[in-house]
Amino acid sequence: MSADVQAIQTALNANDKKTAQSLLIPLLKLQPTADLWVLAAKAANTQEQAIDFLRRALALDAYHNEANRLLLKIEGVKPLAEQQQEQQSRQTFASQQAKLGKELPALKQTRRKPVNWGRRLLTLLLFMVFSASCTAITLNLVGVITGPVTAITVITGGPQPVTLLDGVPIGQIDDAVLRIEPSQVKAALQRDTNVLDPGYVHAYTFNARDGETYAIYVQFLSVTANRVSRNVALVSPNGGNRTANCQRDQILQGDNNIVLTCTVSATGEWTVRVLGRENESVGVYFIGVDKFSDF
């Protein structure tokens, strides 16, 4: 037993409730326990307070022997007259419920319609097809699989993916990014996001003046992305490949991203090309073109 609890017990034995209360208050604020609430009940000024404190003790420990014993002692057993009155009230309520049940009309028994298992099966199959389609598109976006976006592009009248150049697979042609006609051409932004499938080229244009310096950033999110650097090219207004004139860097480890720092050598419309190659640069990617004076 702690010194504080011993002091409280001593005060209670001496019938000094004020001292016991002053010792209990900080302890109850700091860390109330069932034992402390029992002591508080013994130091209470009124019976109502004692009952409240004992119930708090039982809320912390429902099987606390002394708290249960004291609460039973204070509340006691209800008088016989009160018990009889409660029993009579319960019987009156039960008879009223029974009478009400007789007065209410009987519920009509509705006939359940037969289950249309054919329709349920069709709905389930459609749901499964839809889920599989969503999964396939999601995997395509992250570059794990390819095909769904290509299929949608072709079905909606878009171009077919390029797989061969002069009979040679594009995976074996280093400058394929320059030789395939872009399927998308749009203005370059400082921050942009797109989705690329194998056999397609996306082109991003921007107007620049001779001597200006630009930072070009491309990053693929696919877990299989690699050799991205060979699938990105900077094309001058006259159609020449100026990628070799740029400083190459990478923000992240691995070849799933590339940063080109380029000082343009001619005024006009420049183009950043990005080629989609199987297991290299497919799925969702980020691209940004920033002029150094814009930083």
Side-chain angles (χ1 to χ4, degrees), residues 8-28:
I8 295 169
Q9 192 65 56
T10 301
L12 289 173
N13 292 338
N15 200 26
D16 186 0
K17 290 187 176 183
K18 288 187 177 181
T19 301
Q21 291 170 2
S22 63
L23 294 171
L24 278 165
I25 290 173
L27 295 178
L28 289 171

Side-chain angles (χ1 to χ4, degrees), residues 256-268:
N256 66 346
N257 69 100
I258 183 173
V259 179
L260 299 175
T261 304
C262 312
T263 300
V264 300
S265 56
T267 300

Side-chain angles (χ1 to χ4, degrees), residues 198-243:
Y200 291 99
V201 169
H202 292 171
Y204 298 86
T205 62
F206 63 98
N207 291 314
R209 293 181 177 274
D210 184 13
E212 292 179 339
T213 301
Y214 287 81
I216 301 165
Y217 175 63
V218 178
Q219 180 192 353
F220 279 82
L221 300 184
S222 171
V223 294
T224 61
N226 69 92
R227 304 185 71 186
V228 169
S229 55
R230 75 163 182 158
N231 299 319
V232 177
L234 176 65
V235 181
S236 65
N238 62 9
N241 182 11
R242 295 294 180 265
T243 312

